[in-house]
Amino acid sequence: MAKADGFSEQEFRQACAELEAPAPAGKDWECLVETEGFHIYRLLDEQTGLFEYKAFGDFKNCPPALCADVYMDLRYRKQWDSYVKALYETEICGKMVVYWEVKYPFPMSNRDYVYIRDRRDLDLNGRKVHVILAKSFITPEIPTKNGIIRVKDYRQSLVIESDGKKGCKVSMFYRDNPGGMIPSWLVNWAAKNGVPGFLKDIEKACQNYHRNR
């Protein structure tokens, strides 16, 4: 049954299942890179020519609740994520909607996203798990802008739980269609360097969170 925020109970449970079987099973998932305690995989969608990504790993010195708090804090993200051009949350038709503009290297156009998100702290077989879901949301209240390409197909999930020590285990799924013409070298760079760099930035942001609030 779908909630008013646009996410169903099943979607949250499916995201949790990633922690139970972290190595992608079936299909043609490719292990793209192993770095800093993370394994990053990608899967090619032959119909669209686009990739889906999964990342599994741990942050050894970041408690799970803190990691979830940092990820949800949009104001703080503008401090630590250098690719953010604009980022804010506003209420539209009873939903909390996020607007996010991402910097792209010259001469390519920036991309922007309009999406809804939700966080739930669930009990999974006696373990506390933090689940954050996000997906595109179309609304005339936030129109497209000249010179910026609107990403209309975006979905992400983040699942976080304790590693039994001082840190947390993380499972992340990501898919979007950035539109326009993006060189293959940039796609490959983003997957092999951008994703690991983003994960490293999150871990650093967790360590500095309380002193920067």
Side-chain angles (χ1 to χ4, degrees):
M1 179 177 179
K3 289 183 61 182
D5 57 22
F7 298 101
S8 67
E9 183 72 23
Q10 183 180 8
E11 286 176 289
F12 280 95
R13 293 295 172 181
Q14 286 176 341
C16 285
E18 295 288 356
L19 281 176
E20 300 297 287
K27 297 188 178 180
D28 295 313
W29 287 94
E30 169 193 2
C31 185
L32 190 63
V33 63
E34 299 178 23
T35 179
E36 301 293 332
F38 271 84
H39 290 73
I40 300 170
Y41 300 83
R42 71 178 180 183
L43 173 68
L44 176 65
D45 184 329
E46 295 183 356
Q47 290 186 339
T48 64
L50 301 170
F51 287 100
E52 298 178 351
Y53 297 92
K54 290 184 179 182
F56 304 96
D58 54 66
F59 297 138
K60 297 189 181 301
N61 295 301
C62 181
L66 174 62
C67 184
D69 289 345
V70 167
Y71 194 81
M72 291 293 290
D73 192 332
L74 299 182
R75 182 176 300 179
Y76 181 48
R77 181 164 179 173
K78 289 189 286 186
Q79 298 180 37
W80 61 263
D81 188 346
S82 61
Y83 292 99
V84 170
K85 175 70 174 178
L87 183 62
Y88 63 85
E89 192 169 35
T90 187
E91 185 173 350
I92 298 175
C93 299
K95 299 179 187 291
M96 295 307 297
V97 180
V98 177
Y99 174 81
W100 174 34
E101 182 184 343
V102 181
K103 299 175 186 176
Y104 267 61
F106 180 84
M108 288 181 287
S109 300
N110 286 357
R111 266 64 176 173
D112 67 3
Y113 298 70
V114 176
Y115 64 93
I116 55 174
R117 62 178 185 158
D118 190 23
R119 169 184 171 179
R120 288 200 210 171
D121 300 335
L122 304 176
D123 181 280
L124 181 65
N125 301 321
R127 294 141 47 200
K128 187 173 183 179
V129 179
H130 308 275
V131 184
I132 301 169
L133 302 181
K135 64 182 177 182
S136 299
F137 182 73
I138 298 175
T139 173
E141 299 291 329
I142 306 179
T144 57
K145 301 178 182 179
N146 290 334
I148 301 175
I149 296 176
R150 174 65 48 87
V151 176
K152 297 179 180 179
D153 180 11
Y154 163 70
R155 183 174 288 269
Q156 184 172 29
S157 65
L158 188 69
V159 184
I160 309 161
E161 74 165 333
S162 172
D163 64 358
K165 300 177 183 178
K166 296 180 179 180
C168 62
K169 295 191 295 184
V170 177
S171 167
M172 184 176 73
F173 170 84
Y174 183 90
R175 184 195 76 207
D176 74 3
N177 182 351
M181 299 297 293
I182 299 180
S184 58
W185 68 264
L186 180 59
V187 174
N188 291 329
W189 179 90
K192 292 184 178 181
N193 299 280
V195 175
F198 176 70
L199 293 168
K200 188 180 296 184
D201 287 345
I202 292 178
E203 185 172 29
K204 185 176 180 180
C206 289
Q207 296 168 357
N208 296 325
Y209 188 46
H210 294 298
R211 74 183 68 170
N212 285 286
R213 293 185 68 183

